[in-house]
Amino acid sequence: MSDELMQKIKNFIMEEFLPGEDPDELTATTPLISGGILDSIATLKLVMFMEEQYGVSFEPHEVDKENLDDLASIVRLLRAKNPSAA
Amino acid sequence: MDSTLTAAQAAARATVADEPRGRIRFRDFAAIALQLGLVLLLLRQFQIESPAFRLLAMLAFAGFAVHAFLPLPARLPFFSALSLISIPLTLGLVNGVWLIGIGLVLIAACHLPYSFRVRGAILLGLGALLIGQRASLLPTPWSEAIWPILGAMFMFRLIAYFYDLRHDKAPVTLAQSTSYFFMLPNACFPLLPVIDFKTYRRSHYSTDAHRTYQKGVDWIVRGIVHLLLYRYIYYYGTLAPSEVTGPAEFLQYVVSNFLLYLRVSGLFHLVVGMVHLFGFDLPETHKRYLLAASFTDFWRRINIYWKDFMQKIFYFPAVFALKRLGTNKAIIIATLYVFLLTWLLHSYQWFWLRGSWLLAWHDMLFWAVLGLLVVANSLYEIKHGRNRSLGKAKKTWQSTALTIAKTYATFWFICILWSFWTSESITDWLALWPALKGPYTSEALFFPLLSLLVIVLGTVDLPGIGAVTAPANGLRPWLRDRAITVAWALGLVLISIEGVHTSVSAEFATLMHSMRSAHLSRLDNAKLERGYYEGLLSVDRFNSQLWEVYSKKPANWLDVENAGIRRFTGGFGQTDLIPSFVSTTKYGTVTINRWGMRDQDYPQERPAETLRAAVLGPSTVMGWGVGDGMTFEALLEERLNREPVSKAFKHVELLNFGVPGYQPPTQLVSLDKALDFQPNAIIFVATGREIRRSASYLAEVVHKSLPIPYPELAAIVKQSGAVAGMDETEALKLLLPYGPEILRKVYGRVANTSAQRGIRAILLFLPQVREGSWQEETPETLRIASEVGLEVINLADVYAGHDVDTLRLAEWDDHPNELGHRLVADALYRRLQADPAILFGRAAGGAGN
């Protein structure tokens, strides 16, 4: 996982929600919502983090499994909102 | 809650199946088909749900066999067609066409070429129109039978659908829309999980077909297991509040009440499992909700589709709208908002199912308390986080023990809260608590130890049934999980075979016999009887199966009910019939004479050479649901005059003193009234469970502080310790042991009063027009009647050889119809013909003498 943007988001998730866990276990396709790592509160925290960090704004309907269920989807959405995000 | 997902599992999820999308090898298909055959056997052997459902299951399984081999683009239209066919098949052609027509109008309104707001306004207008019709404010050209199913299909899914139309840019096909709303098993289920439209669309063959089908079979079997557990609890575990007399019963009451939810989780597994057979890899509807370790965890595990629906449509939009207040404040307000809406939507759901709004205080309190608990839990999680794990959670003895302790505490708290929610009133619930002062016997340990055992077994790692491992995880776990599903199904089929269960023991055979049939529980039957006698049934809880029966009841069922045929008197009898009242019902005219009898007019003074018998009883005697002249009393009177059985009198008059809602003690009020009409005979009609109903009525009288004008009954009340104004459940607990004595005093008064006046007193026993346990008290009732000197005419077998459905008014109204009354009149006539002295006295002789 060399992508810098993905790494930053991964770091946030590891620090906030998975302290003490092995970072290698969290891959680009690890299910976050369906895997029970991101519940509603954690999802909102992640969204707030991305809004602050990358100057983007999310719509409520975007906060779902399709967009946020794994790191790859999250990065895809973020890039679509802010192509210069890194 | 520990979230565990290994990297291997995650990788497996992402594994692209060897087979092309939607394809299944014939060998795998055969394995699925065999399992579905077993499932069909299970459904038949245990009579799971209704015959209509079993028919739909056959349709679905046969449809699956065709569907699995169709070209992929043809599959969704095929499922849609199958779903549409299932509706007239279940509801009948006319009702089915109406339902589909209304549904298509609603779907079309979502796609009109107008702005979102305009379409929303049109949908609201259509909704208001339907609400007016559901509430019977506006006429409907269709049958009321379609409302619960129409409601189940559209009340929530239309919201989810419209929301996704606005935000999801992927074009919607007709097959997607129609299959989503008219989804195959929905036609016979008024309760269905709120499947999200976007998830529904995206999940169609989103993963390996074989795995999706197998998951469907696993969930169907799991659903059946839930339903059988539910059935056991429903039949054998539930208690009435009045039966909660000690700590053991209290614990049984609260646990059983909560476990009745197994019906919902069972049905949801069944429904969603069935949808999997058509390629939809939908998420779980419930996730081991008995093992929730906190209130937020409980909310996330129970009815997950509802939580997701509320989160998507209301919670996230609310948080986003409020986030300028700060994340924590936004989350608190949005969570409370979601629970407030859950309460309101529960009432909204009730409206579509039953046609009336359910707004009870304890309902609101339940959701308020649960909402506050979830908020508190959420704040704790925001501050301290919660355990999550990427791989297998690292468990120590300490962490396992802590999880077990938290789960145990959550389980019991939820049980208590659930008992509050499902009680009929707050006072009913409060009346349970004094039972905890009772003796703490070893029986009181049963439920605490059983629940602990279940939680311990669930918390430590054991393979669960139907945990659908991917084949990619290895062949052995895959085969093991399939073996577990098949073992459950085979085992259940095996013990359902008569030769097998009778060879175990007589008790087991009796249990299996009961478990193999779907019927109302002892308590629901008692409630149905209460509705039957009093017309005051409160069926406003989902944990009784009665609401399903009553959901079919038209709002204006028997116009006479709403027209106010009775008036309040304020005395011991509370009500009587309004004199000179006339009403036209769909069953004919109901006329009350000037004396307050549902009968023709009679002079108060008995005419010469006339046998005059006063017939006392409840609504069966009064003739609820049949027109004037069609009650068994009127039919018998007419025949006795037309074809006399005795020469002792020239005329026969049977005076109908039946009053709806009258119980054995209240019939004493009718007796007092009847004596003014100088009868030669009294016919006191009993209709089952006389002992319990006598005690219940006195408990009601005590609760309402009504005067008791019969000293012998007042003495029993005093002896029992019941005092005026006491809670009714408490009073019933005290009076129930005196039930036989109360009935003896009632019958004794009838016998003595009659004897003193030279009146022949007869107890006429009539059966109820329903299956169930109403006859439990009959032998004792008849014995008491004989012992106090009443002549007994027992017509317990008057309906023998007839299908109950042909004799009663409706499934929700067990009063005899015209045929039922005619059978009673004929049987009574034959009985009097054989022994006229019983009514006409020793000098009666035969008509031919």
Side-chain angles (χ1 to χ4, degrees):
Chain A
M1 202 186 304
S2 57
D3 188 294
E4 195 182 338
L5 178 60
M6 189 177 286
Q7 191 59 45
K8 278 186 181 170
I9 293 166
K10 178 176 170 174
N11 289 345
F12 176 79
I13 291 172
M14 291 303 301
E15 281 167 25
E16 283 289 322
F17 313 125
L18 296 163
E21 292 291 311
D22 178 5
D24 290 341
E25 291 271 348
L26 181 58
T27 69
T29 55
T30 303
L32 297 171
I33 293 179
S34 47
I37 292 163
L38 291 184
D39 52 40
S40 59
I41 294 171
T43 306
L44 285 170
K45 276 189 172 180
L46 175 65
V47 166
M48 306 292 177
F49 164 76
M50 291 191 289
E51 285 190 335
E52 279 175 21
Q53 196 75 19
Y54 302 106
V56 293
S57 64
F58 283 81
E59 294 296 324
H61 66 87
E62 292 171 328
V63 185
D64 66 5
K65 211 170 93 172
E66 188 174 61
N67 291 315
L68 305 174
D69 201 31
D70 54 48
L71 285 169
S73 308
I74 295 169
V75 168
R76 204 177 306 125
L77 178 68
L78 208 46
R79 284 255 158 80
K81 286 181 173 290
N82 181 359
S84 61
Chain B
M1 170 186 155
D2 293 329
S3 305
T4 56
L5 197 82
T6 63
Q9 282 173 319
R13 280 169 177 255
T15 302
V16 178
D18 294 340
E19 290 293 312
R21 184 169 173 251
R23 284 274 295 276
I24 181 170
R25 286 178 295 189
F26 187 77
R27 189 190 64 187
D28 296 334
F29 169 80
I32 299 283
L34 271 175
Q35 293 175 75
L36 289 178
L38 259 181
V39 167
L40 270 184
L41 256 178
L42 262 181
L43 297 177
R44 179 186 163 275
Q45 287 294 88
F46 285 97
Q47 293 184 34
I48 296 294
E49 293 305 303
S50 59
F53 167 67
R54 295 194 288 278
L55 180 70
L56 286 199
M58 279 194 274
L59 178 75
F61 297 169
F64 160 74
V66 178
H67 179 272
F69 294 103
L70 286 176
L72 203 54
R75 293 193 193 176
L76 197 53
F78 178 82
F79 177 52
S80 180
L82 210 60
S83 299
L84 288 168
I85 289 168
S86 74
I87 294 169
L89 207 61
T90 311
L91 297 175
L93 185 63
V94 175
N95 285 340
V97 168
W98 270 116
L99 191 148
I100 292 169
I102 299 166
L104 290 176
V105 168
L106 290 170
I107 296 169
C110 295
H111 292 273
L112 287 172
Y114 302 123
S115 70
F116 181 77
R117 280 175 191 275
V118 172
R119 281 180 288 154
I122 291 171
L123 279 176
L124 285 176
L126 289 171
L129 181 70
L130 289 171
I131 284 174
Q133 291 176 311
R134 181 62 178 120
S136 300
L137 301 173
L138 298 169
T140 49
W142 53 81
S143 153
E144 301 228 6
I146 73 166
W147 284 119
I149 303 299
L150 182 75
M153 287 174 171
F154 287 90
M155 62 184 158
F156 297 127
R157 268 181 268 164
L158 194 64
I159 299 172
Y161 181 78
F162 196 52
Y163 183 93
D164 280 338
L165 277 191
R166 185 182 192 191
H167 298 296
D168 192 356
K169 301 303 173 203
V172 177
T173 66
L174 182 64
Q176 283 176 338
S177 303
T178 49
S179 66
Y180 175 65
F181 286 108
F182 301 117
M183 201 177 290
L184 175 59
N186 202 160
C188 53
F189 289 126
L191 273 188
L192 218 79
V194 187
I195 298 172
D196 179 62
F197 184 57
K198 189 174 180 180
T199 308
Y200 178 75
R201 290 208 288 168
R202 299 285 195 276
S203 70
H204 194 229
Y205 287 108
S206 60
T207 186
D208 173 49
H210 179 207
R211 186 163 169 252
T212 303
Y213 300 152
Q214 184 59 58
K215 196 195 280 186
V217 176
D218 291 350
W219 286 7
I220 290 171
V221 173
R222 199 190 294 179
I224 293 172
V225 173
H226 280 213
L227 289 174
L228 291 178
L229 283 172
Y230 158 82
R231 199 176 270 182
Y232 181 79
I233 290 155
Y234 178 61
Y235 291 167
Y236 300 105
T238 49
L239 295 173
S242 59
E243 293 168 331
V244 178
T245 51
E249 290 85 3
F250 178 89
L251 298 172
Q252 180 179 344
Y253 180 90
V254 297
V255 172
S256 301
N257 242 9
F258 176 44
L259 292 184
L260 288 179
Y261 184 80
L262 280 165
R263 176 126 199 273
V264 177
S265 58
L267 285 180
F268 282 17
H269 274 94
L270 212 57
V271 168
V272 174
M274 212 174 260
V275 177
H276 272 75
L277 298 179
F278 297 93
F280 295 93
D281 186 33
L282 293 168
E284 282 187 298
T285 63
H286 292 78
K287 189 171 184 176
R288 295 176 153 206
Y289 53 91
L290 297 182
L291 300 179
S294 69
F295 302 113
T296 42
D297 194 21
F298 179 72
W299 178 244
R300 288 177 192 130
R301 285 171 180 257
I302 196 165
N303 201 353
I304 295 167
Y305 284 23
W306 179 258
K307 185 263 295 173
D308 287 348
F309 170 75
M310 295 302 287
Q311 189 170 287
K312 173 176 172 170
I313 309 291
F314 302 107
Y315 178 76
F316 283 143
V319 172
F320 275 71
L322 296 166
K323 67 183 176 186
R324 61 192 156 77
L325 300 175
T327 310
N328 287 5
K329 276 187 186 169
I331 286 174
I332 291 170
I333 296 170
T335 306
L336 292 174
Y337 170 61
V338 159
F339 279 91
L340 174 72
L341 284 173
T342 298
W343 168 57
L344 287 172
L345 290 175
H346 181 247
S347 182
Y348 164 80
Q349 179 184 30
W350 192 255
F351 171 78
W352 288 111
L353 298 179
R354 289 289 316 279
S356 59
W357 294 97
L358 172 64
L359 292 169
W361 274 109
H362 57 307
D363 240 11
M364 192 181 71
L365 275 173
F366 169 79
W367 290 111
V369 170
L370 193 59
L372 288 171
L373 290 170
V374 171
V375 164
N377 228 163
S378 301
L379 290 175
Y380 179 86
E381 284 181 9
I382 289 171
K383 192 171 179 185
H384 301 284
R386 70 178 177 91
N387 291 334
R388 297 174 175 90
S389 178
L390 278 166
K392 198 172 173 60
K394 299 167 197 73
K395 286 183 180 174
T396 61
W397 281 109
Q398 288 90 336
S399 69
T400 304
L402 184 64
T403 305
I404 289 170
K406 283 160 71 178
T407 307
Y408 196 62
T410 306
F411 173 78
W412 281 100
F413 196 95
I414 293 292
C415 281
I416 301 286
L417 195 59
W418 206 270
S419 70
F420 175 76
W421 185 37
T422 53
S423 62
E424 287 198 6
S425 67
I426 295 175
T427 50
D428 245 18
W429 185 74
L430 290 173
L432 297 171
W433 289 87
L436 286 177
K437 293 180 195 158
Y440 281 81
T441 59
S442 58
E443 287 172 351
L445 291 172
F446 179 75
F447 281 99
L449 289 178
L450 180 67
S451 56
L452 184 63
L453 180 69
V454 170
I455 288 167
V456 168
L457 290 176
T459 306
V460 297
D461 288 330
L462 287 175
I465 66 153
V468 184
T469 49
N473 274 358
L475 189 63
R476 282 184 69 181
W478 169 261
L479 287 178
R480 183 201 63 200
D481 289 344
R482 304 296 65 75
I484 290 171
T485 295
V486 173
W488 269 103
L490 264 178
L492 287 170
V493 168
L494 203 67
I495 59 166
S496 72
I497 297 168
E498 199 170 324
V500 175
H501 61 244
T502 49
S503 66
V504 177
S505 72
E507 290 79 15
F508 186 68
T510 309
L511 170 73
M512 286 310 298
H513 183 72
S514 171
M515 290 289 288
R516 284 189 54 204
S517 67
H519 53 84
L520 289 178
S521 70
R522 177 181 62 90
L523 291 185
D524 270 356
N525 260 311
K527 280 185 189 169
L528 198 63
E529 276 176 41
R530 197 170 169 216
Y532 173 86
Y533 287 110
E534 300 171 34
L536 295 170
L537 186 60
S538 160
V539 186
D540 55 4
R541 309 256 70 93
F542 278 119
N543 70 336
S544 149
Q545 274 186 226
L546 274 187
W547 74 265
E548 292 177 43
V549 174
Y550 272 63
S551 67
K552 299 168 196 161
K553 181 183 174 185
N556 59 350
W557 176 246
L558 290 189
D559 305 334
V560 69
E561 194 175 351
N562 300 322
I565 195 171
R566 292 187 294 174
R567 65 180 179 185
F568 288 94
T569 59
F572 180 73
Q574 300 191 62
T575 61
D576 64 9
L577 296 179
I578 299 171
S580 306
F581 173 94
V582 181
S583 176
T584 305
T585 75
K586 62 192 283 193
Y587 291 100
T589 306
V590 174
T591 307
I592 310 300
N593 70 16
R594 62 183 155 140
W595 307 111
M597 298 173 219
R598 202 264 169 106
D599 215 328
Q600 55 187 291
D601 198 35
Y602 296 101
Q604 193 165 22
E605 191 178 330
R606 172 163 47 91
E609 298 182 272
T610 299
L611 180 283
R612 178 175 269 187
V615 188
L616 318 181
S619 46
T620 314
V621 173
M622 175 268 184
W624 187 271
V626 296
D628 289 345
M630 298 312 295
T631 64
F632 76 83
E633 165 274 316
L635 293 168
L636 180 67
E637 181 188 68
E638 187 274 330
R639 189 163 178 194
L640 285 173
N641 284 311
R642 180 164 44 87
E643 301 172 43
V645 296
S646 164
K647 282 185 170 177
F649 298 90
K650 280 192 174 170
H651 301 286
V652 175
E653 288 181 355
L654 300 183
L655 275 55
N656 189 334
F657 282 91
V659 180
Y662 267 26
Q663 309 290 353
T666 357
Q667 285 176 217
L668 294 179
V669 176
S670 296
L671 174 69
D672 295 342
K673 187 174 167 182
L675 293 176
D676 293 340
F677 291 81
Q678 305 168 348
N680 316 82
I682 297 287
I683 302 176
F684 190 106
V685 178
T687 52
R689 224 191 285 280
E690 307 294 294
I691 295 170
R692 188 180 173 91
R693 288 194 293 116
S694 298
S696 293
Y697 189 73
L698 282 195
E700 184 184 336
V701 165
V702 165
H703 169 64
K704 292 179 175 171
S705 304
L706 296 173
I708 303 176
Y710 308 106
E712 62 273 42
L713 295 183
I716 292 179
V717 170
K718 191 175 176 188
Q719 194 183 347
S720 74
V723 290
M726 179 181 254
D727 176 76
E728 197 173 331
T729 307
E730 274 299 291
L732 183 56
K733 282 183 196 174
L734 296 169
L735 284 162
L736 263 181
Y738 293 89
E741 193 54 25
I742 296 168
L743 190 68
R744 182 177 293 278
K745 296 297 181 195
V746 170
Y747 285 179
R749 176 171 275 265
V750 176
N752 294 338
T753 307
S754 302
Q756 285 162 11
R757 296 171 185 242
I759 298 171
R760 281 176 294 287
I762 300 160
L763 182 110
L764 169 62
F765 185 84
L766 294 181
Q768 296 184 11
V769 198
R770 69 162 66 98
E771 309 290 346
S773 51
W774 57 265
Q775 58 281 70
E776 278 169 359
E777 296 175 357
T778 306
E780 193 173 2
T781 298
L782 298 182
R783 183 174 55 76
I784 292 171
S786 293
E787 284 173 3
V788 300
L790 295 175
E791 288 281 355
V792 173
I793 299 179
N794 183 0
L795 295 187
D797 58 354
V798 68
Y799 302 134
H802 291 265
D803 181 356
V804 163
D805 287 335
T806 64
L807 298 173
R808 62 182 178 184
L809 294 180
E811 188 185 352
W812 55 86
D813 192 329
D814 291 331
H815 288 89
N817 59 16
E818 277 190 19
L819 175 59
H821 276 272
R822 190 168 293 284
L823 289 174
V824 172
D826 290 347
L828 204 45
Y829 180 82
R830 286 194 300 274
R831 181 75 174 81
L832 294 176
Q833 204 174 24
D835 182 12
I838 200 166
L839 181 64
F840 296 90
R842 291 188 188 282
N849 294 341

PDB file of all heavy atoms in Angstrom, chain B residues 806-821:
ATOM      1  N   THR B 806     -66.657 -23.305   9.102  1.00  0.00           N
ATOM      2  CA  THR B 806     -67.993 -23.174   8.506  1.00  0.00           C
ATOM      3  C   THR B 806     -69.025 -22.752   9.543  1.00  0.00           C
ATOM      4  O   THR B 806     -70.176 -22.478   9.200  1.00  0.00           O
ATOM      5  CB  THR B 806     -68.446 -24.509   7.872  1.00  0.00           C
ATOM      6  OG1 THR B 806     -68.581 -25.487   8.928  1.00  0.00           O
ATOM      7  CG2 THR B 806     -67.459 -25.004   6.838  1.00  0.00           C
ATOM      8  N   LEU B 807     -68.608 -22.718  10.805  1.00  0.00           N
ATOM      9  CA  LEU B 807     -69.570 -22.443  11.878  1.00  0.00           C
ATOM     10  C   LEU B 807     -69.392 -21.095  12.546  1.00  0.00           C
ATOM     11  O   LEU B 807     -70.259 -20.629  13.268  1.00  0.00           O
ATOM     12  CB  LEU B 807     -69.444 -23.524  12.973  1.00  0.00           C
ATOM     13  CG  LEU B 807     -69.743 -24.962  12.548  1.00  0.00           C
ATOM     14  CD1 LEU B 807     -69.421 -25.916  13.680  1.00  0.00           C
ATOM     15  CD2 LEU B 807     -71.216 -25.087  12.169  1.00  0.00           C
ATOM     16  N   ARG B 808     -68.216 -20.483  12.348  1.00  0.00           N
ATOM     17  CA  ARG B 808     -67.966 -19.225  13.055  1.00  0.00           C
ATOM     18  C   ARG B 808     -68.063 -18.050  12.094  1.00  0.00           C
ATOM     19  O   ARG B 808     -67.995 -18.217  10.875  1.00  0.00           O
ATOM     20  CB  ARG B 808     -66.600 -19.255  13.735  1.00  0.00           C
ATOM     21  CG  ARG B 808     -65.455 -19.397  12.777  1.00  0.00           C
ATOM     22  CD  ARG B 808     -64.129 -19.481  13.507  1.00  0.00           C
ATOM     23  NE  ARG B 808     -63.028 -19.675  12.573  1.00  0.00           N
ATOM     24  CZ  ARG B 808     -61.784 -19.857  12.935  1.00  0.00           C
ATOM     25  NH1 ARG B 808     -61.461 -19.874  14.205  1.00  0.00           N
ATOM     26  NH2 ARG B 808     -60.843 -20.018  12.029  1.00  0.00           N
ATOM     27  N   LEU B 809     -68.174 -16.848  12.690  1.00  0.00           N
ATOM     28  CA  LEU B 809     -68.340 -15.655  11.857  1.00  0.00           C
ATOM     29  C   LEU B 809     -67.099 -15.363  11.034  1.00  0.00           C
ATOM     30  O   LEU B 809     -67.180 -15.049   9.852  1.00  0.00           O
ATOM     31  CB  LEU B 809     -68.657 -14.439  12.739  1.00  0.00           C
ATOM     32  CG  LEU B 809     -70.000 -14.458  13.478  1.00  0.00           C
ATOM     33  CD1 LEU B 809     -70.162 -13.197  14.297  1.00  0.00           C
ATOM     34  CD2 LEU B 809     -71.153 -14.587  12.497  1.00  0.00           C
ATOM     35  N   ALA B 810     -65.935 -15.451  11.673  1.00  0.00           N
ATOM     36  CA  ALA B 810     -64.679 -15.145  10.984  1.00  0.00           C
ATOM     37  C   ALA B 810     -63.536 -15.654  11.840  1.00  0.00           C
ATOM     38  O   ALA B 810     -63.736 -16.036  12.993  1.00  0.00           O
ATOM     39  CB  ALA B 810     -64.537 -13.637  10.776  1.00  0.00           C
ATOM     40  N   GLU B 811     -62.332 -15.630  11.263  1.00  0.00           N
ATOM     41  CA  GLU B 811     -61.161 -16.103  12.007  1.00  0.00           C
ATOM     42  C   GLU B 811     -60.952 -15.303  13.285  1.00  0.00           C
ATOM     43  O   GLU B 811     -60.495 -15.809  14.292  1.00  0.00           O
ATOM     44  CB  GLU B 811     -59.928 -15.986  11.090  1.00  0.00           C
ATOM     45  CG  GLU B 811     -58.682 -16.623  11.651  1.00  0.00           C
ATOM     46  CD  GLU B 811     -57.473 -16.384  10.774  1.00  0.00           C
ATOM     47  OE1 GLU B 811     -57.644 -15.856   9.660  1.00  0.00           O
ATOM     48  OE2 GLU B 811     -56.358 -16.715  11.211  1.00  0.00           O
ATOM     49  N   TRP B 812     -61.284 -14.013  13.234  1.00  0.00           N
ATOM     50  CA  TRP B 812     -61.074 -13.137  14.382  1.00  0.00           C
ATOM     51  C   TRP B 812     -62.329 -13.030  15.254  1.00  0.00           C
ATOM     52  O   TRP B 812     -62.357 -12.304  16.232  1.00  0.00           O
ATOM     53  CB  TRP B 812     -60.665 -11.733  13.912  1.00  0.00           C
ATOM     54  CG  TRP B 812     -61.647 -11.165  12.949  1.00  0.00           C
ATOM     55  CD1 TRP B 812     -62.783 -10.484  13.238  1.00  0.00           C
ATOM     56  CD2 TRP B 812     -61.592 -11.268  11.525  1.00  0.00           C
ATOM     57  NE1 TRP B 812     -63.443 -10.165  12.088  1.00  0.00           N
ATOM     58  CE2 TRP B 812     -62.742 -10.626  11.020  1.00  0.00           C
ATOM     59  CE3 TRP B 812     -60.695 -11.846  10.628  1.00  0.00           C
ATOM     60  CZ2 TRP B 812     -63.001 -10.546   9.655  1.00  0.00           C
ATOM     61  CZ3 TRP B 812     -60.962 -11.758   9.283  1.00  0.00           C
ATOM     62  CH2 TRP B 812     -62.092 -11.111   8.801  1.00  0.00           C
ATOM     63  N   ASP B 813     -63.393 -13.702  14.878  1.00  0.00           N
ATOM     64  CA  ASP B 813     -64.632 -13.616  15.651  1.00  0.00           C
ATOM     65  C   ASP B 813     -65.272 -15.002  15.711  1.00  0.00           C
ATOM     66  O   ASP B 813     -65.860 -15.478  14.749  1.00  0.00           O
ATOM     67  CB  ASP B 813     -65.590 -12.616  14.991  1.00  0.00           C
ATOM     68  CG  ASP B 813     -66.758 -12.263  15.907  1.00  0.00           C
ATOM     69  OD1 ASP B 813     -67.157 -13.143  16.705  1.00  0.00           O
ATOM     70  OD2 ASP B 813     -67.265 -11.137  15.826  1.00  0.00           O
ATOM     71  N   ASP B 814     -65.118 -15.631  16.878  1.00  0.00           N
ATOM     72  CA  ASP B 814     -65.536 -17.021  17.021  1.00  0.00           C
ATOM     73  C   ASP B 814     -66.985 -17.193  17.427  1.00  0.00           C
ATOM     74  O   ASP B 814     -67.360 -18.242  17.954  1.00  0.00           O
ATOM     75  CB  ASP B 814     -64.650 -17.712  18.060  1.00  0.00           C
ATOM     76  CG  ASP B 814     -63.238 -17.888  17.544  1.00  0.00           C
ATOM     77  OD1 ASP B 814     -63.091 -18.008  16.332  1.00  0.00           O
ATOM     78  OD2 ASP B 814     -62.307 -17.893  18.362  1.00  0.00           O
ATOM     79  N   HIS B 815     -67.806 -16.215  17.226  1.00  0.00           N
ATOM     80  CA  HIS B 815     -69.221 -16.407  17.531  1.00  0.00           C
ATOM     81  C   HIS B 815     -69.837 -17.327  16.485  1.00  0.00           C
ATOM     82  O   HIS B 815     -69.468 -17.265  15.312  1.00  0.00           O
ATOM     83  CB  HIS B 815     -69.954 -15.060  17.526  1.00  0.00           C
ATOM     84  CG  HIS B 815     -69.617 -14.215  18.695  1.00  0.00           C
ATOM     85  ND1 HIS B 815     -68.559 -13.336  18.684  1.00  0.00           N
ATOM     86  CD2 HIS B 815     -70.170 -14.135  19.922  1.00  0.00           C
ATOM     87  CE1 HIS B 815     -68.490 -12.734  19.863  1.00  0.00           C
ATOM     88  NE2 HIS B 815     -69.448 -13.203  20.641  1.00  0.00           N
ATOM     89  N   PRO B 816     -70.791 -18.160  16.897  1.00  0.00           N
ATOM     90  CA  PRO B 816     -71.409 -19.045  15.904  1.00  0.00           C
ATOM     91  C   PRO B 816     -72.188 -18.242  14.867  1.00  0.00           C
ATOM     92  O   PRO B 816     -72.836 -17.241  15.187  1.00  0.00           O
ATOM     93  CB  PRO B 816     -72.332 -19.935  16.741  1.00  0.00           C
ATOM     94  CG  PRO B 816     -72.511 -19.238  18.044  1.00  0.00           C
ATOM     95  CD  PRO B 816     -71.310 -18.384  18.252  1.00  0.00           C
ATOM     96  N   ASN B 817     -72.123 -18.689  13.643  1.00  0.00           N
ATOM     97  CA  ASN B 817     -72.907 -18.056  12.584  1.00  0.00           C
ATOM     98  C   ASN B 817     -74.304 -18.705  12.533  1.00  0.00           C
ATOM     99  O   ASN B 817     -74.671 -19.477  13.421  1.00  0.00           O
ATOM    100  CB  ASN B 817     -72.167 -18.153  11.247  1.00  0.00           C
ATOM    101  CG  ASN B 817     -71.886 -19.595  10.857  1.00  0.00           C
ATOM    102  OD1 ASN B 817     -72.497 -20.520  11.415  1.00  0.00           O
ATOM    103  ND2 ASN B 817     -70.979 -19.807   9.921  1.00  0.00           N
ATOM    104  N   GLU B 818     -75.044 -18.426  11.500  1.00  0.00           N
ATOM    105  CA  GLU B 818     -76.413 -18.961  11.416  1.00  0.00           C
ATOM    106  C   GLU B 818     -76.437 -20.478  11.487  1.00  0.00           C
ATOM    107  O   GLU B 818     -77.269 -21.070  12.168  1.00  0.00           O
ATOM    108  CB  GLU B 818     -77.071 -18.495  10.105  1.00  0.00           C
ATOM    109  CG  GLU B 818     -77.666 -17.109  10.223  1.00  0.00           C
ATOM    110  CD  GLU B 818     -78.529 -16.756   9.013  1.00  0.00           C
ATOM    111  OE1 GLU B 818     -78.956 -17.654   8.270  1.00  0.00           O
ATOM    112  OE2 GLU B 818     -78.773 -15.564   8.845  1.00  0.00           O
ATOM    113  N   LEU B 819     -75.499 -21.101  10.779  1.00  0.00           N
ATOM    114  CA  LEU B 819     -75.449 -22.569  10.807  1.00  0.00           C
ATOM    115  C   LEU B 819     -75.184 -23.064  12.231  1.00  0.00           C
ATOM    116  O   LEU B 819     -75.799 -24.024  12.703  1.00  0.00           O
ATOM    117  CB  LEU B 819     -74.357 -23.073   9.847  1.00  0.00           C
ATOM    118  CG  LEU B 819     -74.104 -24.592   9.854  1.00  0.00           C
ATOM    119  CD1 LEU B 819     -75.375 -25.367   9.478  1.00  0.00           C
ATOM    120  CD2 LEU B 819     -72.964 -24.959   8.898  1.00  0.00           C
ATOM    121  N   GLY B 820     -74.259 -22.369  12.915  1.00  0.00           N
ATOM    122  CA  GLY B 820     -73.950 -22.745  14.303  1.00  0.00           C
ATOM    123  C   GLY B 820     -75.188 -22.649  15.177  1.00  0.00           C
ATOM    124  O   GLY B 820     -75.489 -23.558  15.972  1.00  0.00           O
ATOM    125  N   HIS B 821     -75.925 -21.560  15.061  1.00  0.00           N
ATOM    126  CA  HIS B 821     -77.145 -21.393  15.868  1.00  0.00           C
ATOM    127  C   HIS B 821     -78.172 -22.464  15.518  1.00  0.00           C
ATOM    128  O   HIS B 821     -78.850 -23.006  16.392  1.00  0.00           O
ATOM    129  CB  HIS B 821     -77.724 -19.993  15.634  1.00  0.00           C
ATOM    130  CG  HIS B 821     -77.072 -18.947  16.495  1.00  0.00           C
ATOM    131  ND1 HIS B 821     -77.493 -18.635  17.765  1.00  0.00           N
ATOM    132  CD2 HIS B 821     -75.999 -18.157  16.268  1.00  0.00           C
ATOM    133  CE1 HIS B 821     -76.729 -17.693  18.281  1.00  0.00           C
ATOM    134  NE2 HIS B 821     -75.806 -17.372  17.383  1.00  0.00           N
TER     135      HIS B 821
END
